[in-house]
Amino acid sequence: MPQPDLTLTPAGPALAPRYGEHPQPAPGTADHRPASSRPLPRNPYLRLFALPGTRAFTAGNLIARMPSGMFGVSAVIMIAGRYDSYALAGAVTATGLASGALAAPWIARLVDRRGQARVAVPAAAYMALGQLLLLLCVHEKAPVWTLCLVAAATATAPNMGGMSRARWAHLLWDDPDALHTANAFEQAADELCFMLGPVLAAFLCSMLFPEAGTLVAAALLLGGALLLAAQRSTEPPIAPRTAAGSPLRTRGMVPLLTVFLATGAVFGSMEVVALAFVDGPVAGPVLALQAAGSCAAGLLYGRARRTARLRTCLAAMAVLMAMPLLAATTGSLLALAGGLLVAGMATAPTMLTGMGLVQRLTPASQLNEGMTLAVTALLAGVAAGSATGGWAADHAPIPAFGFLAPIAAATLALALCTATGVGRRPRVRA
C-alpha cells in the first residue's frame, strides 16, 4: 500500500491521509475513475469505514477492548464465590483499578514516544499474566493480602480505546464533524464491550467454572492487541519530544479530571451493587442493559451536529441514576433491567462530551497521554465506587440501599462541574 504524503500538523510533520481520500486503482482496471465520481455513503458511520485500513484496526481494537467489561465481573464472581464476601471482591477489584490508574499515563507516554505497535503487545501480555496469577491465587484461596498484591500486578493494561481514538484523530484531523462521529462510534464501542463483556463473563463463570471468564478475557486481550499492532498503515506517527510537560499543566485539565473521577464512581458502584442485588447467572444480562442504553444513545448523539454542554449531560445522569433505585425497591428484576436501560442513556453523551473537551485541551503531540489521563481518572473513580458499592452491598439495611451510591456520585460530578466551570470556555487544541 503506498504511504500517504507527509503533511504539516500542529505536532509537526506527520502521515495524515485526508478524510474521503481513496487509493487510486491502476490504469486499465474496472474501477479506474476519479475519486470524486465515487460518492461516499450518506450515513456518517459508513463514511468512516470507507477510509482504507479503518475496518481492520477497529476489528482488532474491539477484540482487545472486550475484556474491559469482563475482568471486573469475572473477578467479583470468582472472588465472592470462593471467599463469600462481596466487600473483599470489591476491594481487590478496586486495588487492580487503582494501580492501573497510576500506571496508565506512563504507558500512554510510551505509546506517544515509541508507537502503538511497540508498546501495546508487551503491555497486554503483562496484564494477561497478572490476571492468570490472580486466578491461581483465588483458586488456591490464598491470603487476602496476596490477592491485593497480585491485583496490583495487572496494572499494565494499555488504553485500547485511547489508541483507537488517536488513530481517528490522526486520520480526521482536518474534519471536525467526522471526528465527532468517530468519537461517538468509539464511545458506542466502549458501551458495546461493557454490554457484551459482563454477559459473556457471567455466562462463562456460571456455566463452565468460576475462572473461565478471566481465562477467556486474557486471551482476547492479547489476541486483539496483536491484531491491532499489525495494522501499521493507520498508526499515528511517533510524536516528537516536546518541552510542554504533562497535559496536566494545561489550563482546565485538572478540573475536568476531577469530574471524570466522580463519574467513574458512578460506574464502579453501579456494577458491584447490581451484581450483588441480582446475585445469579442473569446478573450479567441485567447489568448489560445499562450499556445497551448508553450504546444506543451514543450512536444517536454522534449523528447530531450540535452537542450538549457537559453540565447538562451530568444533570441528566444524576436524574436518570435514580431509575435503578426506584426499580429495585419493587423487587422485580424486569423493573431493575428497565431502570438500568434508562439510566444508561445518559452515559455515552456524557463521556463523549467529556472526551471531546479532553481532545480540545490536549496538545496534538500528547493526545494519547491526555486521553489516558481521562481514563485514569475514570478508573480511579471506578475503583472508589467498586469499594463503596461492595461495602454498601454487604451492610445495606435493605437490598436496594446500595443504589444510592451511584446517585450520590453523579450528583457530586455535577456539583464539581458547576463549581469549576468545566467546559465553559473550551480551548482549541494547540
Side-chain angles (χ1 to χ4, degrees), residues 26 64 101 165 184 190 253 328 337 371 419:
R165 288 177 173 88
D190 282 340
M253 180 64 78
M371 289 189 294

Side-chain angles (χ1 to χ4, degrees), residues 6 10 16 23 31 35 56 135 163 198 234 254 310 361 381 399 408:
L6 198 65
D31 199 25
L135 181 153
M163 286 191 284
T234 55
V254 172
L310 182 59
L361 288 170

Side-chain angles (χ1 to χ4, degrees), residues 263-282:
T263 306
V266 177
F267 308 142
S269 58
M270 181 65 79
E271 179 177 281
V272 176
V273 169
L275 285 172
F277 185 87
V278 178
D279 192 22
V282 297

Side-chain angles (χ1 to χ4, degrees), residues 374-429:
V375 175
T376 296
L378 279 172
L379 288 176
V382 170
S386 296
T388 303
W391 181 90
D394 278 354
H395 299 86
I398 58 174
F401 176 82
F403 287 99
L404 287 172
I407 298 175
T411 304
L412 176 60
L414 174 61
L416 289 171
C417 182
T418 303
T420 59
V422 167
R424 192 173 297 165
R425 289 184 294 272
R427 293 167 54 122
V428 178
R429 188 177 64 174

Side-chain angles (χ1 to χ4, degrees), residues 195-206:
M195 177 175 63
L196 298 180
V199 177
L200 179 59
F203 175 80
L204 292 171
C205 292
S206 60

